[in-house]
Amino acid sequence: EAALPVLTVMGANDEVIPEASVRAVHDRLPGPKRFAYVETGWHMLLRDKGAARVHAIVQDWVLERAE
């Protein structure tokens, strides 16, 4: 069983998927992981007005793995 690095990103204002459900799935994942909670985010994080913040979170996470 291979455990790949995982980044979970959730918007605080998501009205579609409950935070508890997202965190429960995230917590069960094996291997290195990070949970990023975007205070101004909604369900469609990449389409939010604050999408640049999400892009930065993902970019930083990817670049950390490239080192």
Short mmCIF file of all heavy atoms in Angstrom, two decimals:
data_model
loop_
_atom_site.label_atom_id
_atom_site.label_comp_id
_atom_site.label_asym_id
_atom_site.label_seq_id
_atom_site.Cartn_x
_atom_site.Cartn_y
_atom_site.Cartn_z
N GLU A 1 0.85 -1.18 0.00
CA GLU A 1 0.00 0.00 0.00
C GLU A 1 0.89 1.25 0.00
O GLU A 1 1.68 1.45 0.91
CB GLU A 1 -0.89 -0.01 1.24
CG GLU A 1 -1.77 1.19 1.35
CD GLU A 1 -2.69 1.09 2.56
OE1 GLU A 1 -3.26 0.03 2.80
OE2 GLU A 1 -2.80 2.10 3.25
N ALA A 2 0.78 2.04 -1.02
CA ALA A 2 1.56 3.26 -1.14
C ALA A 2 0.77 4.44 -0.58
O ALA A 2 -0.42 4.58 -0.83
CB ALA A 2 1.91 3.52 -2.59
N ALA A 3 1.45 5.25 0.18
CA ALA A 3 0.81 6.44 0.74
C ALA A 3 1.42 7.67 0.08
O ALA A 3 2.57 8.00 0.30
CB ALA A 3 1.02 6.50 2.25
N LEU A 4 0.64 8.33 -0.75
CA LEU A 4 1.10 9.52 -1.44
C LEU A 4 0.78 10.76 -0.62
O LEU A 4 -0.19 10.77 0.15
CB LEU A 4 0.40 9.62 -2.79
CG LEU A 4 0.67 8.47 -3.76
CD1 LEU A 4 -0.20 8.61 -5.00
CD2 LEU A 4 2.14 8.42 -4.13
N PRO A 5 1.55 11.83 -0.77
CA PRO A 5 1.23 13.08 -0.09
C PRO A 5 -0.13 13.61 -0.55
O PRO A 5 -0.47 13.52 -1.72
CB PRO A 5 2.35 14.02 -0.51
CG PRO A 5 3.42 13.17 -1.06
CD PRO A 5 2.77 11.93 -1.57
N VAL A 6 -0.87 14.15 0.41
CA VAL A 6 -2.22 14.64 0.11
C VAL A 6 -2.38 16.05 0.66
O VAL A 6 -1.99 16.33 1.80
CB VAL A 6 -3.29 13.72 0.74
CG1 VAL A 6 -4.68 14.31 0.57
CG2 VAL A 6 -3.22 12.33 0.15
N LEU A 7 -2.98 16.90 -0.15
CA LEU A 7 -3.37 18.24 0.29
C LEU A 7 -4.89 18.31 0.22
O LEU A 7 -5.47 18.09 -0.85
CB LEU A 7 -2.76 19.32 -0.61
CG LEU A 7 -3.27 20.74 -0.38
CD1 LEU A 7 -2.90 21.24 1.01
CD2 LEU A 7 -2.74 21.67 -1.46
N THR A 8 -5.52 18.57 1.34
CA THR A 8 -6.97 18.76 1.39
C THR A 8 -7.21 20.24 1.63
O THR A 8 -6.68 20.81 2.58
CB THR A 8 -7.60 17.94 2.53
OG1 THR A 8 -7.25 16.57 2.37
CG2 THR A 8 -9.10 18.09 2.55
N VAL A 9 -7.99 20.86 0.76
CA VAL A 9 -8.29 22.28 0.89
C VAL A 9 -9.80 22.43 1.03
O VAL A 9 -10.56 21.91 0.22
CB VAL A 9 -7.80 23.09 -0.33
CG1 VAL A 9 -8.02 24.57 -0.12
CG2 VAL A 9 -6.34 22.79 -0.62
N MET A 10 -10.22 23.15 2.07
CA MET A 10 -11.65 23.33 2.32
C MET A 10 -11.96 24.79 2.61
O MET A 10 -11.21 25.47 3.30
CB MET A 10 -12.07 22.50 3.52
CG MET A 10 -13.51 22.77 3.90
SD MET A 10 -14.19 21.57 4.99
CE MET A 10 -15.91 21.97 4.72
N GLY A 11 -13.08 25.24 2.08
CA GLY A 11 -13.55 26.59 2.36
C GLY A 11 -14.43 26.60 3.60
O GLY A 11 -15.30 25.73 3.77
N ALA A 12 -14.23 27.56 4.46
CA ALA A 12 -15.00 27.66 5.71
C ALA A 12 -16.48 27.87 5.47
O ALA A 12 -17.31 27.52 6.31
CB ALA A 12 -14.45 28.81 6.56
N ASN A 13 -16.83 28.42 4.32
CA ASN A 13 -18.23 28.72 4.03
C ASN A 13 -18.89 27.69 3.13
O ASN A 13 -19.96 27.94 2.59
CB ASN A 13 -18.33 30.11 3.37
CG ASN A 13 -17.76 31.18 4.27
OD1 ASN A 13 -18.20 31.36 5.38
ND2 ASN A 13 -16.75 31.88 3.79
N ASP A 14 -18.26 26.52 2.97
CA ASP A 14 -18.81 25.47 2.13
C ASP A 14 -20.15 25.02 2.69
O ASP A 14 -20.24 24.59 3.84
CB ASP A 14 -17.84 24.28 2.07
CG ASP A 14 -18.22 23.26 1.02
OD1 ASP A 14 -19.42 23.11 0.72
OD2 ASP A 14 -17.31 22.60 0.49
N GLU A 15 -21.20 25.14 1.89
CA GLU A 15 -22.54 24.75 2.32
C GLU A 15 -22.96 23.42 1.70
O GLU A 15 -24.09 22.98 1.87
CB GLU A 15 -23.54 25.84 1.94
CG GLU A 15 -23.29 27.15 2.63
CD GLU A 15 -24.21 28.27 2.16
OE1 GLU A 15 -24.73 28.20 1.03
OE2 GLU A 15 -24.40 29.22 2.94
N VAL A 16 -22.04 22.77 0.97
CA VAL A 16 -22.35 21.52 0.29
C VAL A 16 -21.83 20.31 1.06
O VAL A 16 -22.54 19.34 1.27
CB VAL A 16 -21.78 21.53 -1.15
CG1 VAL A 16 -22.06 20.22 -1.86
CG2 VAL A 16 -22.36 22.70 -1.94
N ILE A 17 -20.58 20.38 1.49
CA ILE A 17 -19.96 19.26 2.20
C ILE A 17 -19.60 19.74 3.61
O ILE A 17 -18.85 20.69 3.78
CB ILE A 17 -18.69 18.77 1.48
CG1 ILE A 17 -19.03 18.38 0.04
CG2 ILE A 17 -18.07 17.60 2.23
CD1 ILE A 17 -17.84 18.03 -0.80
N PRO A 18 -20.12 19.06 4.65
CA PRO A 18 -19.83 19.46 6.03
C PRO A 18 -18.34 19.32 6.37
O PRO A 18 -17.69 18.36 5.95
CB PRO A 18 -20.66 18.48 6.87
CG PRO A 18 -21.67 17.90 5.94
CD PRO A 18 -21.05 17.94 4.58
N GLU A 19 -17.86 20.26 7.12
CA GLU A 19 -16.44 20.25 7.52
C GLU A 19 -16.09 18.95 8.24
O GLU A 19 -15.02 18.37 8.01
CB GLU A 19 -16.14 21.45 8.42
CG GLU A 19 -14.71 21.46 8.90
CD GLU A 19 -14.41 22.61 9.84
OE1 GLU A 19 -15.24 23.52 9.99
OE2 GLU A 19 -13.32 22.58 10.44
N ALA A 20 -16.96 18.47 9.11
CA ALA A 20 -16.67 17.25 9.85
C ALA A 20 -16.43 16.07 8.91
O ALA A 20 -15.56 15.23 9.16
CB ALA A 20 -17.81 16.94 10.82
N SER A 21 -17.18 16.00 7.83
CA SER A 21 -17.01 14.91 6.86
C SER A 21 -15.67 15.01 6.14
O SER A 21 -14.98 14.02 5.95
CB SER A 21 -18.15 14.92 5.84
OG SER A 21 -19.38 14.71 6.47
N VAL A 22 -15.32 16.22 5.75
CA VAL A 22 -14.05 16.42 5.04
C VAL A 22 -12.88 16.08 5.97
O VAL A 22 -11.95 15.37 5.58
CB VAL A 22 -13.92 17.88 4.53
CG1 VAL A 22 -12.56 18.13 3.91
CG2 VAL A 22 -15.03 18.18 3.54
N ARG A 23 -12.96 16.56 7.20
CA ARG A 23 -11.87 16.27 8.15
C ARG A 23 -11.79 14.78 8.48
O ARG A 23 -10.69 14.23 8.64
CB ARG A 23 -12.05 17.09 9.42
CG ARG A 23 -11.71 18.56 9.21
CD ARG A 23 -11.67 19.33 10.52
NE ARG A 23 -11.43 20.72 10.32
CZ ARG A 23 -10.22 21.29 10.28
NH1 ARG A 23 -9.13 20.56 10.39
NH2 ARG A 23 -10.09 22.59 10.10
N ALA A 24 -12.93 14.11 8.57
CA ALA A 24 -12.93 12.67 8.88
C ALA A 24 -12.23 11.89 7.77
O ALA A 24 -11.43 10.98 8.05
CB ALA A 24 -14.36 12.18 9.07
N VAL A 25 -12.52 12.21 6.52
CA VAL A 25 -11.86 11.52 5.40
C VAL A 25 -10.37 11.85 5.40
O VAL A 25 -9.52 10.98 5.26
CB VAL A 25 -12.51 11.90 4.05
CG1 VAL A 25 -11.69 11.40 2.89
CG2 VAL A 25 -13.93 11.36 3.99
N HIS A 26 -10.05 13.13 5.58
CA HIS A 26 -8.65 13.56 5.60
C HIS A 26 -7.88 12.82 6.69
O HIS A 26 -6.77 12.33 6.45
CB HIS A 26 -8.57 15.07 5.81
CG HIS A 26 -7.18 15.57 5.95
ND1 HIS A 26 -6.37 15.85 4.86
CD2 HIS A 26 -6.43 15.85 7.05
CE1 HIS A 26 -5.20 16.27 5.29
NE2 HIS A 26 -5.21 16.27 6.61
N ASP A 27 -8.45 12.73 7.87
CA ASP A 27 -7.76 12.09 8.99
C ASP A 27 -7.50 10.61 8.76
O ASP A 27 -6.55 10.05 9.30
CB ASP A 27 -8.57 12.27 10.28
CG ASP A 27 -8.57 13.71 10.77
OD1 ASP A 27 -7.72 14.51 10.30
OD2 ASP A 27 -9.43 14.05 11.61
N ARG A 28 -8.31 9.96 7.94
CA ARG A 28 -8.14 8.54 7.66
C ARG A 28 -7.09 8.25 6.58
O ARG A 28 -6.69 7.10 6.41
CB ARG A 28 -9.47 7.93 7.23
CG ARG A 28 -10.46 7.83 8.36
CD ARG A 28 -11.72 7.13 7.91
NE ARG A 28 -12.74 7.29 8.94
CZ ARG A 28 -13.96 7.72 8.73
NH1 ARG A 28 -14.37 8.00 7.50
NH2 ARG A 28 -14.81 7.85 9.71
N LEU A 29 -6.69 9.25 5.87
CA LEU A 29 -5.71 9.04 4.80
C LEU A 29 -4.33 8.74 5.39
O LEU A 29 -3.90 9.40 6.33
CB LEU A 29 -5.62 10.28 3.91
CG LEU A 29 -6.88 10.63 3.14
CD1 LEU A 29 -6.73 12.01 2.50
CD2 LEU A 29 -7.19 9.58 2.09
N PRO A 30 -3.65 7.74 4.82
CA PRO A 30 -2.31 7.42 5.32
C PRO A 30 -1.28 8.38 4.73
O PRO A 30 -1.54 9.07 3.75
CB PRO A 30 -2.08 6.00 4.79
CG PRO A 30 -2.88 5.96 3.52
CD PRO A 30 -4.10 6.83 3.77
N GLY A 31 -0.12 8.39 5.33
CA GLY A 31 0.99 9.14 4.77
C GLY A 31 0.97 10.62 5.10
O GLY A 31 0.13 11.10 5.85
N PRO A 32 1.90 11.34 4.49
CA PRO A 32 2.00 12.78 4.73
C PRO A 32 0.79 13.52 4.17
O PRO A 32 0.33 13.22 3.07
CB PRO A 32 3.28 13.19 4.01
CG PRO A 32 3.51 12.12 2.99
CD PRO A 32 2.90 10.86 3.53
N LYS A 33 0.28 14.43 4.96
CA LYS A 33 -0.91 15.16 4.52
C LYS A 33 -0.96 16.53 5.18
O LYS A 33 -0.36 16.75 6.22
CB LYS A 33 -2.18 14.38 4.83
CG LYS A 33 -2.34 14.05 6.29
CD LYS A 33 -3.43 13.03 6.50
CE LYS A 33 -3.41 12.56 7.94
NZ LYS A 33 -4.22 11.39 8.15
N ARG A 34 -1.70 17.41 4.53
CA ARG A 34 -1.92 18.76 5.07
C ARG A 34 -3.38 19.13 4.84
O ARG A 34 -3.94 18.87 3.78
CB ARG A 34 -1.02 19.77 4.39
CG ARG A 34 -1.29 21.20 4.92
CD ARG A 34 -0.44 22.24 4.27
NE ARG A 34 0.96 21.92 4.51
CZ ARG A 34 1.95 22.48 3.84
NH1 ARG A 34 1.71 23.35 2.88
NH2 ARG A 34 3.19 22.15 4.10
N PHE A 35 -3.97 19.76 5.84
CA PHE A 35 -5.34 20.26 5.73
C PHE A 35 -5.27 21.77 5.71
O PHE A 35 -4.78 22.39 6.66
CB PHE A 35 -6.19 19.79 6.93
CG PHE A 35 -7.65 20.07 6.77
CD1 PHE A 35 -8.50 19.12 6.25
CD2 PHE A 35 -8.19 21.29 7.15
CE1 PHE A 35 -9.86 19.37 6.11
CE2 PHE A 35 -9.53 21.57 7.00
CZ PHE A 35 -10.38 20.60 6.48
N ALA A 36 -5.71 22.37 4.62
CA ALA A 36 -5.70 23.83 4.49
C ALA A 36 -7.15 24.32 4.58
O ALA A 36 -7.99 23.91 3.78
CB ALA A 36 -5.07 24.25 3.18
N TYR A 37 -7.42 25.16 5.54
CA TYR A 37 -8.76 25.69 5.79
C TYR A 37 -8.78 27.15 5.37
O TYR A 37 -8.08 27.98 5.94
CB TYR A 37 -9.07 25.55 7.29
CG TYR A 37 -10.50 25.77 7.66
CD1 TYR A 37 -11.49 24.84 7.33
CD2 TYR A 37 -10.88 26.88 8.40
CE1 TYR A 37 -12.80 25.03 7.71
CE2 TYR A 37 -12.19 27.08 8.78
CZ TYR A 37 -13.14 26.14 8.45
OH TYR A 37 -14.46 26.32 8.83
N VAL A 38 -9.54 27.44 4.34
CA VAL A 38 -9.58 28.80 3.78
C VAL A 38 -10.77 29.53 4.38
O VAL A 38 -11.92 29.23 4.07
CB VAL A 38 -9.67 28.75 2.23
CG1 VAL A 38 -9.68 30.15 1.66
CG2 VAL A 38 -8.52 27.93 1.65
N GLU A 39 -10.48 30.46 5.25
CA GLU A 39 -11.54 31.17 6.01
C GLU A 39 -12.56 31.87 5.12
O GLU A 39 -13.73 31.96 5.47
CB GLU A 39 -10.91 32.19 6.96
CG GLU A 39 -10.08 31.58 8.07
CD GLU A 39 -10.91 30.84 9.10
OE1 GLU A 39 -12.10 31.13 9.26
OE2 GLU A 39 -10.34 29.95 9.76
N THR A 40 -12.13 32.35 3.97
CA THR A 40 -13.04 33.09 3.09
C THR A 40 -13.58 32.23 1.95
O THR A 40 -14.28 32.73 1.09
CB THR A 40 -12.31 34.30 2.49
OG1 THR A 40 -11.16 33.84 1.78
CG2 THR A 40 -11.90 35.29 3.57
N GLY A 41 -13.24 30.94 1.95
CA GLY A 41 -13.60 30.07 0.84
C GLY A 41 -14.99 29.48 0.93
O GLY A 41 -15.57 29.32 2.00
N TRP A 42 -15.52 29.13 -0.23
CA TRP A 42 -16.81 28.46 -0.37
C TRP A 42 -16.57 27.08 -0.97
O TRP A 42 -15.46 26.59 -0.97
CB TRP A 42 -17.75 29.32 -1.22
CG TRP A 42 -18.10 30.61 -0.54
CD1 TRP A 42 -17.32 31.74 -0.50
CD2 TRP A 42 -19.24 30.90 0.23
NE1 TRP A 42 -17.92 32.72 0.24
CE2 TRP A 42 -19.13 32.23 0.70
CE3 TRP A 42 -20.38 30.19 0.58
CZ2 TRP A 42 -20.08 32.83 1.49
CZ3 TRP A 42 -21.35 30.80 1.36
CH2 TRP A 42 -21.19 32.10 1.81
N HIS A 43 -17.60 26.47 -1.54
CA HIS A 43 -17.47 25.13 -2.09
C HIS A 43 -16.61 25.11 -3.35
O HIS A 43 -15.77 24.23 -3.52
CB HIS A 43 -18.86 24.54 -2.38
CG HIS A 43 -18.81 23.16 -2.91
ND1 HIS A 43 -18.44 22.08 -2.13
CD2 HIS A 43 -19.05 22.65 -4.14
CE1 HIS A 43 -18.47 20.97 -2.86
NE2 HIS A 43 -18.83 21.29 -4.09
N MET A 44 -16.81 26.05 -4.21
CA MET A 44 -16.06 26.12 -5.48
C MET A 44 -14.82 27.00 -5.29
O MET A 44 -14.73 28.10 -5.82
CB MET A 44 -16.95 26.65 -6.59
CG MET A 44 -18.19 25.83 -6.85
SD MET A 44 -17.84 24.25 -7.60
CE MET A 44 -17.46 24.77 -9.26
N LEU A 45 -13.87 26.50 -4.52
CA LEU A 45 -12.71 27.29 -4.12
C LEU A 45 -11.95 27.92 -5.29
O LEU A 45 -11.48 29.05 -5.18
CB LEU A 45 -11.73 26.41 -3.33
CG LEU A 45 -12.16 26.09 -1.91
CD1 LEU A 45 -11.25 25.01 -1.33
CD2 LEU A 45 -12.15 27.32 -1.05
N LEU A 46 -11.82 27.20 -6.37
CA LEU A 46 -11.05 27.73 -7.50
C LEU A 46 -11.82 28.75 -8.31
O LEU A 46 -11.27 29.39 -9.20
CB LEU A 46 -10.57 26.59 -8.39
CG LEU A 46 -9.62 25.61 -7.69
CD1 LEU A 46 -9.27 24.46 -8.61
CD2 LEU A 46 -8.36 26.33 -7.22
N ARG A 47 -13.10 28.93 -7.99
CA ARG A 47 -13.91 29.93 -8.70
C ARG A 47 -14.30 31.08 -7.77
O ARG A 47 -14.99 32.00 -8.20
CB ARG A 47 -15.14 29.27 -9.29
CG ARG A 47 -14.76 28.22 -10.33
CD ARG A 47 -15.94 27.57 -10.95
NE ARG A 47 -16.64 28.56 -11.77
CZ ARG A 47 -17.78 28.31 -12.39
NH1 ARG A 47 -18.35 27.13 -12.28
NH2 ARG A 47 -18.36 29.22 -13.12
N ASP A 48 -13.91 31.00 -6.51
CA ASP A 48 -14.20 32.07 -5.55
C ASP A 48 -13.44 33.34 -5.91
O ASP A 48 -12.44 33.30 -6.62
CB ASP A 48 -13.76 31.66 -4.13
CG ASP A 48 -14.68 30.67 -3.47
OD1 ASP A 48 -15.75 30.38 -4.01
OD2 ASP A 48 -14.32 30.19 -2.38
N LYS A 49 -13.90 34.44 -5.34
CA LYS A 49 -13.17 35.70 -5.51
C LYS A 49 -11.77 35.59 -4.92
O LYS A 49 -10.86 36.25 -5.36
CB LYS A 49 -13.93 36.85 -4.85
CG LYS A 49 -15.20 37.21 -5.57
CD LYS A 49 -15.90 38.37 -4.89
CE LYS A 49 -17.19 38.71 -5.61
NZ LYS A 49 -17.93 39.77 -4.94
N GLY A 50 -11.62 34.75 -3.90
CA GLY A 50 -10.32 34.57 -3.25
C GLY A 50 -9.55 33.39 -3.80
O GLY A 50 -8.70 32.82 -3.10
N ALA A 51 -9.80 33.01 -5.04
CA ALA A 51 -9.13 31.84 -5.64
C ALA A 51 -7.61 31.99 -5.65
O ALA A 51 -6.90 30.99 -5.57
CB ALA A 51 -9.65 31.60 -7.05
N ALA A 52 -7.12 33.19 -5.71
CA ALA A 52 -5.66 33.40 -5.74
C ALA A 52 -5.03 32.82 -4.47
O ALA A 52 -3.91 32.28 -4.52
CB ALA A 52 -5.33 34.87 -5.88
N ARG A 53 -5.72 32.92 -3.35
CA ARG A 53 -5.21 32.35 -2.10
C ARG A 53 -5.11 30.83 -2.21
O ARG A 53 -4.13 30.23 -1.78
CB ARG A 53 -6.12 32.75 -0.93
CG ARG A 53 -5.77 32.11 0.37
CD ARG A 53 -4.46 32.70 0.94
NE ARG A 53 -4.09 31.97 2.13
CZ ARG A 53 -2.92 31.38 2.28
NH1 ARG A 53 -2.00 31.43 1.34
NH2 ARG A 53 -2.63 30.73 3.38
N VAL A 54 -6.11 30.21 -2.79
CA VAL A 54 -6.11 28.76 -2.97
C VAL A 54 -4.99 28.35 -3.93
O VAL A 54 -4.27 27.38 -3.69
CB VAL A 54 -7.47 28.25 -3.46
CG1 VAL A 54 -7.45 26.76 -3.71
CG2 VAL A 54 -8.56 28.63 -2.47
N HIS A 55 -4.83 29.10 -5.00
CA HIS A 55 -3.75 28.82 -5.95
C HIS A 55 -2.40 28.87 -5.23
O HIS A 55 -1.53 28.03 -5.48
CB HIS A 55 -3.75 29.82 -7.10
CG HIS A 55 -4.97 29.73 -7.96
ND1 HIS A 55 -5.33 30.73 -8.81
CD2 HIS A 55 -5.92 28.77 -8.10
CE1 HIS A 55 -6.44 30.40 -9.45
NE2 HIS A 55 -6.81 29.21 -9.03
N ALA A 56 -2.22 29.83 -4.36
CA ALA A 56 -0.96 29.97 -3.63
C ALA A 56 -0.75 28.79 -2.68
O ALA A 56 0.39 28.30 -2.55
CB ALA A 56 -0.95 31.29 -2.85
N ILE A 57 -1.80 28.34 -2.02
CA ILE A 57 -1.69 27.18 -1.12
C ILE A 57 -1.24 25.95 -1.91
O ILE A 57 -0.32 25.23 -1.49
CB ILE A 57 -3.04 26.92 -0.42
CG1 ILE A 57 -3.34 28.02 0.59
CG2 ILE A 57 -3.05 25.54 0.26
CD1 ILE A 57 -4.76 27.99 1.14
N VAL A 58 -1.88 25.71 -3.04
CA VAL A 58 -1.54 24.54 -3.86
C VAL A 58 -0.13 24.68 -4.42
O VAL A 58 0.67 23.73 -4.38
CB VAL A 58 -2.57 24.35 -4.99
CG1 VAL A 58 -2.13 23.24 -5.94
CG2 VAL A 58 -3.95 24.05 -4.41
N GLN A 59 0.20 25.85 -4.91
CA GLN A 59 1.55 26.07 -5.46
C GLN A 59 2.61 25.83 -4.40
O GLN A 59 3.61 25.15 -4.65
CB GLN A 59 1.67 27.49 -6.00
CG GLN A 59 3.05 27.81 -6.54
CD GLN A 59 3.15 29.22 -7.06
OE1 GLN A 59 2.17 29.91 -7.27
NE2 GLN A 59 4.37 29.69 -7.27
N ASP A 60 2.43 26.39 -3.22
CA ASP A 60 3.42 26.20 -2.15
C ASP A 60 3.58 24.72 -1.80
O ASP A 60 4.69 24.24 -1.61
CB ASP A 60 3.02 26.99 -0.91
CG ASP A 60 3.14 28.49 -1.10
OD1 ASP A 60 3.75 28.93 -2.10
OD2 ASP A 60 2.61 29.23 -0.25
N TRP A 61 2.46 24.01 -1.73
CA TRP A 61 2.49 22.60 -1.38
C TRP A 61 3.25 21.78 -2.44
O TRP A 61 4.07 20.94 -2.11
CB TRP A 61 1.05 22.09 -1.20
CG TRP A 61 0.94 20.70 -0.73
CD1 TRP A 61 1.05 20.24 0.55
CD2 TRP A 61 0.69 19.53 -1.54
NE1 TRP A 61 0.87 18.89 0.59
CE2 TRP A 61 0.66 18.42 -0.69
CE3 TRP A 61 0.48 19.34 -2.90
CZ2 TRP A 61 0.42 17.14 -1.16
CZ3 TRP A 61 0.26 18.06 -3.36
CH2 TRP A 61 0.23 16.98 -2.49
N VAL A 62 2.99 22.07 -3.71
CA VAL A 62 3.67 21.36 -4.80
C VAL A 62 5.17 21.68 -4.78
O VAL A 62 6.01 20.78 -4.88
CB VAL A 62 3.05 21.72 -6.16
CG1 VAL A 62 3.92 21.21 -7.31
CG2 VAL A 62 1.64 21.16 -6.26
N LEU A 63 5.51 22.95 -4.62
CA LEU A 63 6.92 23.34 -4.64
C LEU A 63 7.68 22.77 -3.46
O LEU A 63 8.88 22.44 -3.58
CB LEU A 63 7.05 24.86 -4.69
CG LEU A 63 6.59 25.49 -6.00
CD1 LEU A 63 6.66 27.01 -5.92
CD2 LEU A 63 7.38 24.97 -7.18
N GLU A 64 7.04 22.62 -2.30
CA GLU A 64 7.70 22.00 -1.15
C GLU A 64 8.11 20.57 -1.47
O GLU A 64 9.12 20.08 -1.01
CB GLU A 64 6.76 22.00 0.06
CG GLU A 64 6.60 23.35 0.71
CD GLU A 64 5.52 23.34 1.78
OE1 GLU A 64 4.99 22.25 2.13
OE2 GLU A 64 5.17 24.43 2.25
N ARG A 65 7.31 19.87 -2.26
CA ARG A 65 7.61 18.49 -2.61
C ARG A 65 8.67 18.41 -3.69
O ARG A 65 9.29 17.35 -3.88
CB ARG A 65 6.33 17.79 -3.10
CG ARG A 65 5.70 17.03 -1.99
CD ARG A 65 4.23 17.43 -1.76
NE ARG A 65 3.92 17.26 -0.34
CZ ARG A 65 4.00 18.22 0.55
NH1 ARG A 65 4.37 19.41 0.24
NH2 ARG A 65 3.71 17.99 1.81
N ALA A 66 8.91 19.48 -4.41
CA ALA A 66 9.89 19.48 -5.49
C ALA A 66 11.31 19.70 -4.97
O ALA A 66 12.27 19.52 -5.70
CB ALA A 66 9.55 20.56 -6.51
N GLU A 67 11.42 20.10 -3.72
CA GLU A 67 12.75 20.40 -3.15
C GLU A 67 13.55 19.15 -2.88
O GLU A 67 13.10 18.11 -2.60
CB GLU A 67 12.59 21.20 -1.85
CG GLU A 67 11.99 22.55 -2.08
CD GLU A 67 11.74 23.33 -0.79
OE1 GLU A 67 11.88 22.76 0.31
OE2 GLU A 67 11.41 24.50 -0.89
#
